[in-house]
Amino acid sequence: MSFGLPLAARLAHSSAKDAVRLHRVRPVNWTVDLDDAGQIIRVVPHPKAVKGETPYQVLAPKEAKNRAGSIFPLLITDTASYVLGLEKVGGKKQNGRDKQLAYQTLLKQAVHLPLVCAVLRGANALTPERFGELAATAGAAEVSADDIITFRVAGQHPHDDPEVQAFWIDHVASAGGDKAEQVDSATGERGPLASNSPLITGIPGGMATLTWQSTNAPSMRRYGLTTLGLTQPTIERVAARLTELARDPLTSHQPKGSAFKVLHWLEGEGVDPWLSLTQPTPENVRDMLTAASRSAGEEALVNLAVVRGNSARLQVLDHAQVPLSVAARHAQRYLELTRDLPLWQAETALTYPGDKSAERLVAGLYLHVLTGQRLPSGLLPLLLNAWKRELKVTRAQRALTALLLEIPMQDPSTIPPHLANAYQLGRYAQVAHHVHRRANPSSALTVTDRFLRLMATQPTAAFAQMERQLASVLLGLRRSRPQLETVLGKELAAVTAPLTLPLPLRFSLEEQAAFMLGFEHERGARIEAAQIRKAEREMNAARAPQGDQA
């Protein structure tokens, strides 16, 4: 069976140098020109660009880890401390010779590539003294340990060669290979270490954050698929394709609109399975369905897996399998939903670096909207905690909360009866804030500022205290500004009337979410009303001069 990639073009950026994975375009200070045999022709200095000019830049390997305090050479293009073994002036560690040795060792690992072989010969012949002579011939200043040096072989930059790019990606993916005998993390047996790879994640019974080392690297690369209940042949096929995708130098796994991707493939009798990895944008989802419908009938099974990806690691977080007809129905709902709920905005609000549980919750959210899979229960507490920290929510978070409470997106104020009281109390908290601010503009904190978090969880205690303090504020206003007191009193009475008393001692999670929605909807309504009034004032002000001229 062969895997096709109908949407691979969405991930490939062959025309843009800076899109190659684990590489970047960076300025360099020196270029060493070599011939095909690796003989040094000359050294070309690249002076620092003045303001407004673009410095001389080449495609070069990107650091796969922090090199501070450690020795980790980059392929071909690196600092003079690695290429020439120069020591930093005043540096605490004088390890230039060790860095140069590590740099040359890395080149020897890729000596089967003609361009790298030429660079190795040139680097071996390039001593600091020889480099200084060539630099002086070019009329340049002395080289420093931090200067970036690159090589050019017969006019070609080696990093433009796909084979050289693929070597660096593979080197990073299997960093630390071929060491002395160590213990295999999976079997407990000792043997020559084949891989210590950032691609290894999701080992059964293990933690993805640990560094796993194996004497059989292919069997360890399962990307978390073994925890999803898939058959072993499916795991083997998908893991093999993911490994191929991860090593493709033209495939970028860096987050763009979303930190997540959707992996999808078909299975079924008489179906030639294909696999694709795309960002979960509405356009990609639509293309995915079109490609699937062309490849199979409605009874074919669509597998959707949510993948967390970065420059060196892919991990499958969740998986669902549904008939193609079901996927088409839910994808249509997804396309409608994304008009009100841009999920990739909700991601940034729900996740933060290192929060693995939040990542899995977002993965469950994607599968819910794409396949109808039950929503993960942990999403609501995550949203509430985010709101309680900031006391404000984004449009995406409001829409997501409405989705979790099964409130229609078109009319989010349509609250189920069992949540109506909590929603109305949220509106009351926002009105109380407005009333206190109007009555006493100089007050640093309003009653809502003091009691909002308490009211969201323990409404009885907070409501009683807020009512007493607001009554005191309005009583003071009655003597100085009775008309304003009447207006504000009517606002409070209007928002309090629908409340059913007595209030519960504590709110459930759903009631807390309804309270948050009521608070935010009332805030949004007030902001919108203020904008309308401002627009009307500006329109009236613009009309006034015309009336005077008439």
Side-chain angles (χ1 to χ4, degrees):
M1 289 186 178
S2 63
F3 286 102
L5 284 174
L7 300 182
R10 294 188 178 277
L11 294 177
H13 306 278
S14 57
S15 63
K17 288 184 178 181
D18 57 352
V20 180
R21 226 164 41 85
L22 294 177
H23 291 72
R24 62 170 175 156
V25 175
R26 67 180 301 177
V28 297
N29 304 104
W30 306 85
T31 296
V32 180
D33 274 327
L34 308 173
D35 61 18
D36 289 327
Q39 298 296 316
I40 300 173
I41 300 174
R42 62 180 173 273
V43 166
V44 180
H46 305 293
K48 185 177 179 180
V50 298
K51 188 174 181 180
E53 290 185 354
T54 302
Y56 181 79
Q57 301 179 90
V58 299
L59 185 68
K62 184 164 61 176
E63 292 85 349
K65 63 179 182 179
N66 187 355
R67 301 203 291 180
S70 63
I71 295 178
F72 187 83
L74 303 180
L75 184 66
I76 299 176
T77 303
D78 210 334
T79 63
S81 59
Y82 279 92
V83 178
L84 302 176
L86 290 183
E87 305 287 0
K88 288 188 177 181
V89 177
K92 294 181 180 179
K93 290 185 177 181
Q94 299 298 313
N95 54 4
R97 178 56 186 158
D98 293 336
K99 289 182 177 180
Q100 186 183 30
L101 183 61
Y103 174 81
Q104 293 178 355
T105 301
L106 176 60
L107 291 176
K108 290 176 183 177
Q109 293 176 21
V111 75
H112 58 284
L113 301 174
L115 292 174
V116 180
C117 181
V119 171
L120 177 61
R121 289 172 180 164
N124 285 335
L126 198 63
T127 63
E129 293 75 17
R130 177 80 188 282
F131 191 95
E133 293 172 1
L134 292 168
T137 303
E142 293 184 359
V143 62
S144 68
D146 291 326
D147 283 357
I148 306 297
I149 299 175
T150 191
F151 289 82
R152 192 163 48 200
V153 180
Q156 180 182 359
H157 284 286
H159 297 297
D160 292 338
D161 187 325
E163 290 187 347
V164 177
Q165 297 166 4
F167 172 83
W168 175 249
I169 293 170
D170 192 62
H171 171 73
V172 173
S174 54
D178 294 331
K179 294 182 179 178
E181 288 192 355
Q182 296 192 31
V183 176
D184 187 309
S185 298
T187 64
E189 300 175 355
R190 296 189 67 85
L193 193 64
S195 179
N196 183 4
S197 172
L199 294 174
I200 298 174
T201 60
I203 308 302
M207 295 175 60
T209 54
L210 296 179
T211 298
W212 289 83
Q213 48 198 29
S214 170
T215 57
N216 184 12
S219 69
M220 297 286 283
R221 289 192 180 132
R222 293 296 174 263
Y223 309 98
L225 290 164
T226 50
T227 65
L228 302 179
L230 303 177
T231 63
Q232 188 61 28
T234 299
I235 292 174
E236 293 290 338
R237 292 199 308 272
V238 177
R241 276 311 272 127
L242 276 175
T243 298
E244 186 177 335
L245 285 169
R247 290 184 170 182
D248 184 354
L250 299 180
T251 300
S252 173
H253 301 301
Q254 293 285 9
K256 292 179 183 175
S258 169
F260 299 83
K261 290 184 175 66
V262 175
L263 173 77
H264 46 275
W265 69 96
L266 285 176
E267 289 182 1
E269 187 175 351
V271 175
D272 185 25
W274 50 264
L275 177 146
S276 182
L277 182 68
T278 62
Q279 295 279 343
T281 63
E283 294 78 13
N284 287 347
V285 170
R286 190 181 294 111
D287 289 348
M288 174 196 76
L289 285 175
T290 302
S293 62
R294 289 173 182 165
S295 303
E298 291 187 350
E299 298 308 311
L301 296 178
V302 177
N303 291 266
L304 293 121
V306 180
V307 178
R308 183 75 161 87
N310 58 31
S311 60
R313 183 193 296 263
L314 291 174
Q315 183 178 7
V316 181
L317 299 175
D318 207 345
H319 165 266
Q321 185 183 69
V322 294
L324 180 56
S325 57
V326 175
R329 185 168 65 250
H330 283 283
Q332 183 59 38
R333 177 172 174 258
Y334 171 82
L335 297 176
E336 296 171 357
L337 178 65
T338 47
R339 289 201 297 263
D340 297 294
L341 177 56
L343 294 179
W344 38 91
Q345 291 183 17
E347 285 172 17
T348 57
L350 292 174
T351 62
Y352 49 91
D355 189 352
K356 300 297 181 184
S357 61
E359 289 181 356
R360 294 191 180 276
L361 290 174
V362 174
L365 169 64
Y366 273 118
L367 290 187
H368 167 77
V369 297
L370 289 172
T371 68
Q373 175 177 292
R374 187 174 180 178
L375 272 167
S377 58
L379 274 174
L380 204 54
L382 203 64
L383 278 167
L384 288 169
N385 289 337
W387 178 70
K388 289 173 183 176
R389 281 196 307 269
E390 305 293 335
L391 292 183
K392 60 182 179 180
V393 295
T394 63
R395 174 173 167 266
Q397 286 176 307
R398 286 198 300 271
L400 180 54
T401 305
L403 172 69
L404 296 174
L405 297 181
E406 298 181 353
I407 298 169
M409 288 286 183
Q410 292 76 13
D411 186 11
S413 61
T414 308
I415 304 294
H418 68 288
L419 300 177
N421 221 32
Y423 178 85
Q424 189 65 24
L425 192 64
R427 293 186 62 233
Y428 165 84
Q430 183 63 244
V431 172
H433 174 78
H434 167 74
V435 167
H436 196 160
R437 185 65 69 201
R438 287 282 306 275
N440 189 359
S442 62
S443 177
L445 294 174
T446 66
V447 290
T448 300
D449 295 331
R450 295 189 180 99
F451 298 109
L452 183 60
R453 288 185 176 87
L454 179 64
M455 179 172 274
T457 54
Q458 302 176 44
T460 299
F463 183 71
Q465 295 186 62
M466 286 180 69
E467 284 282 274
R468 286 196 297 269
Q469 293 198 20
L470 282 173
S472 176
V473 169
L474 291 177
L475 182 62
L477 196 63
R478 185 178 302 169
R479 291 188 290 268
S480 58
R481 302 177 66 185
Q483 290 183 341
L484 181 58
E485 185 268 341
T486 302
V487 171
L488 297 181
K490 287 181 179 179
E491 277 196 58
L492 275 176
V495 76
T496 307
L499 286 173
T500 301
L501 301 177
L503 295 169
L505 292 176
R506 298 189 70 87
F507 274 155
S508 66
L509 283 176
E510 284 192 340
E511 288 172 324
Q512 290 180 44
F515 175 89
M516 177 189 76
L517 277 183
F519 184 82
E520 293 298 330
H521 287 163
E522 182 65 28
R523 190 204 320 243
R526 290 186 172 276
I527 292 173
E528 185 178 352
Q531 290 173 343
I532 291 174
R533 290 195 298 270
K534 181 181 178 182
E536 289 176 348
R537 288 196 301 269
E538 291 175 350
M539 188 179 299
N540 292 335
R543 288 174 179 171
Q546 297 177 3
D548 294 341
Q549 292 173 7

